Amino acid sequence: MVRILLLFLLFSSTTFAQGLFKLTGEIQQATERKVLITLYRDWVGEEEEYEIKLNDKNQFSFSTNLNHIAYIDFYYTDQGFHYWIIEPNDEISIKFTPKNFWESLIFTGKGSEKWQYYTQHQEKFEVKRDFEKEADLLSKTTQEKYFDFLDNDQAIQLDFLEKTPNLSEIFKQSRKADIIGSLQNYKVNFLSGEKYANWTEEKVKNTLKIEELPDSVQANSLEYGNMYLNLMDLFVAKSAVRKRKNLTETEELNLIRSSYNRALFSFQLIERITAFKLKNMIEAENITPKIQALVDNFLETSSNRDYKNYLTTKVNFSKTLSRGSPAKPFKLKDIDGKEVSLKDFLGKTVYLDFWASWCGPCIYDMKFMETVKAKFPNDVVFIQISLDNEAEWREAVKMYEVKGINLRIDDNNTITKNYGVSGIPAYYLIDKKGNFAVSQVSDPSNDEGQELIRQIEEVLSRKE
């Protein structure tokens, strides 16, 4: 389902200045020679992953320009932190000992107060209590008790944030949005149950304890955006039940437009969710005339240059995966160590399956592939490309008796990037000329493989 686009514009009440973010560190008694950093600039574009090597003094340095607040993951071996806010012009230094990571953490430098806040928050609200357990127990009582618990915890956390000294105003507003979004999202998930199916959208919204937040803060907050996204999905589901049919793209657009409230759900937040949904639609279906029209509409009216540039790039790349475009060449080794190239199969129809042993849907689909493979023993080359490490791959191929040509991606291969594999399983059908035969391959589990069989038969029946 698509949620697309508001046809009006508002300007942010919060302004962010571009600046350099810098993170340096020193690891005492280092056991590994690298740190891993993931940067989230916004919630539409792709995250950025960095592997930073330590120097001979066990030190590292990382810097990047930021246009506004962003979020960062930091990991050394299996320890670190996830989704912490950073700001332009921060110059944070970190020092720790891996053996006692949290106890030894020391933050210094400009902006380090926010990271000290995070460690204090974790100690107070996660280490000294089990919030998830408390929430789970209360969710089994009454709606009133459960929601009172969530609202009370929200008030306590916001008070703790407000009383923490030396935090920038932008951080405090952004962190406030995260706290509200996270705790109110528990309510949204709770109200998604069948017991509350007859609740109106207005009644659902009235149970949410949301405070007024600046427009850009709403749009940039991880948790506030997640809460809003889940709330809109709940409203779509409720509307579909009432109408006894899935909503059209226009109906979903109208639903999202009707949720606009500058204080609570800003235009910039709605624009973020719209762009995010368009991204997912492109990844799921590649580019189609309907999707192209929706994207064009967004590009004409959007005020966010980053979203527009990202979606334009996404569309252009998707066109290279559409029917009739040349399939991307690759060379990989099979399970016997023999090098296999896509060009080896020119003149034959090729089915590609990107999978991994830890991917439940991949394994589920495989049992239906036996029927498909039996139907085309000579007409189609079936190639499975695994994302596992070598040991897991070999074990899985044997365990699941995966027939066909089994290949594995090594660490330096770019095939997933070239094929736009953003999640697995991912399937591709390539015709005898080496071109993509369809824009979207049917999942093997659809109609127990029969839909995929019909799709392959249609490709095989085409005249050259």
Side-chain angles (χ1 to χ4, degrees):
M1 288 292 179
V2 179
R3 284 108 175 150
I4 183 73
L5 187 69
L6 291 173
L7 304 176
F8 52 86
L9 245 245
L10 287 173
F11 293 99
S12 169
S13 59
T14 299
T15 302
F16 296 103
Q18 184 178 27
L20 186 71
F21 166 79
K22 187 172 183 180
L23 175 64
T24 58
E26 180 181 334
I27 301 172
Q28 299 172 323
Q29 301 174 28
T31 57
E32 192 168 304
R33 305 309 305 166
K34 64 184 178 182
V35 299
L36 303 177
I37 290 174
T38 304
L39 182 68
Y40 308 86
R41 294 184 186 273
D42 62 58
W43 305 107
V44 176
E46 307 295 337
E47 66 268 19
E48 301 169 20
E49 296 182 345
Y50 301 92
E51 184 178 291
I52 313 296
K53 301 293 185 183
L54 302 185
N55 63 19
D56 56 4
K57 295 181 179 180
N58 294 330
Q59 299 168 333
F60 68 89
S61 179
F62 169 78
S63 62
T64 185
N65 280 310
L66 298 177
N67 293 325
H68 47 68
I69 70 154
Y71 288 72
I72 196 170
D73 296 346
F74 175 89
Y75 278 93
Y76 180 77
T77 61
D78 60 347
Q79 301 199 77
F81 43 84
H82 192 43
Y83 289 146
W84 282 14
I85 293 172
I86 57 176
E87 296 177 58
N89 301 313
D90 279 347
E91 293 185 4
I92 300 174
S93 181
I94 180 174
K95 184 182 290 187
F96 62 89
T97 303
K99 189 167 62 174
N100 54 339
F101 178 79
W102 288 104
E103 295 79 7
S104 64
L105 270 178
I106 299 175
F107 300 117
T108 56
K110 183 179 179 182
S112 61
E113 297 87 357
K114 66 174 69 69
W115 285 16
Q116 292 165 6
Y117 155 81
Y118 274 120
T119 57
Q120 293 163 6
H121 182 278
Q122 183 192 46
E123 177 71 16
K124 183 177 179 66
F125 294 99
E126 297 177 39
V127 175
K128 291 184 176 179
R129 58 180 291 206
D130 190 337
F131 173 82
E132 291 293 340
K133 185 176 181 180
E134 291 178 42
D136 183 60
L137 289 173
L138 280 165
S139 70
K140 295 177 173 63
T141 57
T142 66
Q143 177 254 317
E144 290 79 11
K145 285 184 179 180
Y146 184 45
F147 285 15
D148 284 347
F149 162 76
L150 294 170
D151 291 341
N152 181 64
D153 213 78
Q154 177 172 299
I156 294 171
Q157 290 195 40
L158 292 179
D159 182 66
F160 178 75
L161 172 67
E162 190 61 35
K163 290 179 178 178
T164 302
N166 303 319
L167 298 176
S168 72
E169 190 58 30
I170 291 176
F171 174 79
K172 287 171 72 173
Q173 290 281 2
S174 301
R175 180 60 186 154
K176 181 178 181 179
D178 276 348
I179 291 169
I180 291 172
S182 175
L183 288 163
Q184 297 307 306
N185 201 28
Y186 281 91
K187 294 183 181 179
V188 176
N189 291 330
F190 184 85
L191 295 174
S192 298
E194 290 183 13
K195 184 177 178 181
Y196 301 94
N198 64 340
W199 278 35
T200 65
E201 284 87 338
E202 196 62 29
K203 187 173 181 180
V204 171
K205 276 198 283 189
N206 288 340
T207 67
L208 302 180
K209 194 174 182 61
I210 303 174
E211 301 180 26
E212 184 171 345
L213 294 164
D215 294 3
S216 291
V217 166
Q218 293 182 34
N220 287 306
S221 165
L222 163 68
E223 299 291 359
Y224 202 88
N226 286 345
M227 179 270 294
Y228 175 76
L229 175 62
N230 289 336
L231 183 65
M232 291 301 103
D233 285 344
L234 174 58
F235 289 174
V236 166
K238 284 180 174 292
S239 184
V241 169
R242 286 196 300 270
K243 295 175 182 291
R244 298 183 179 180
K245 68 178 185 68
N246 290 332
L247 270 63
T248 65
E249 287 83 359
T250 301
E251 288 171 328
E252 290 201 41
L253 165 60
N254 290 337
L255 187 152
I256 288 187
R257 181 186 291 117
S258 69
S259 75
Y260 168 72
N261 177 317
R262 191 163 189 256
L264 305 181
F265 305 126
S266 70
F267 169 75
Q268 292 189 28
L269 174 62
I270 291 170
E271 190 175 49
R272 161 187 161 183
I273 299 304
T274 298
F276 176 76
K277 289 296 185 178
L278 283 172
K279 164 193 170 180
N280 286 349
M281 191 175 183
I282 295 167
E283 290 178 350
E285 302 180 41
N286 285 333
I287 199 66
T288 66
K290 180 188 288 186
I291 298 174
Q292 184 70 66
L294 296 173
V295 172
D296 289 344
N297 191 20
F298 182 87
L299 297 178
E300 289 171 7
T301 55
S302 172
S303 61
N304 189 300
R305 184 180 300 173
D306 291 337
Y307 296 166
K308 292 165 72 171
N309 290 341
Y310 177 76
L311 287 175
T312 298
T313 301
K314 198 81 173 171
V315 166
N316 291 337
F317 178 76
S318 180
K319 289 177 179 178
T320 70
L321 302 174
S322 298
R323 175 176 170 174
S325 298
K328 313 300 175 72
F330 62 80
K331 287 183 180 179
L332 295 170
K333 290 184 178 180
D334 68 12
I335 206 155
D336 296 318
K338 178 184 175 183
E339 192 172 77
V340 175
S341 171
L342 180 61
K343 68 180 182 180
D344 297 339
F345 307 106
L346 277 175
K348 297 182 180 181
T349 299
V350 176
Y351 177 90
L352 294 183
D353 170 5
F354 289 85
W355 71 290
S357 62
W358 41 261
C359 167
C362 300
I363 304 305
Y364 177 74
D365 274 357
M366 278 185 179
K367 59 184 182 180
F368 299 101
M369 279 305 299
E370 296 310 308
T371 300
V372 180
K373 291 176 180 178
K375 181 73 175 179
F376 307 103
N378 303 312
D379 300 316
V380 179
V381 176
F382 293 95
I383 300 177
Q384 291 80 216
I385 302 177
S386 173
L387 278 61
D388 287 304
N389 63 41
E390 185 164 1
E392 291 169 341
W393 170 53
R394 291 182 178 278
E395 182 179 354
V397 169
K398 183 178 180 180
M399 178 186 300
Y400 299 111
E401 300 180 347
V402 185
K403 298 181 177 65
I405 298 173
N406 284 290
L407 309 178
R408 188 183 73 86
I409 298 172
D410 58 44
D411 293 338
N412 299 318
N413 204 284
T414 59
I415 183 171
T416 52
K417 181 179 179 180
N418 293 342
Y419 275 76
V421 177
S422 57
I424 56 175
Y427 306 114
Y428 300 85
L429 198 55
I430 300 168
D431 66 22
K432 295 177 182 179
K433 295 180 180 179
N435 299 325
F436 290 110
V438 295
S439 294
Q440 188 65 31
V441 179
S442 174
D443 289 345
S445 54
N446 291 347
D447 194 17
E448 298 184 341
Q450 295 307 307
E451 188 175 314
L452 177 55
I453 286 173
R454 289 190 289 270
Q455 194 173 43
I456 293 174
E457 286 177 335
E458 188 278 324
V459 171
L460 292 173
S461 68
R462 294 175 190 170
K463 295 181 181 179
E464 296 185 16

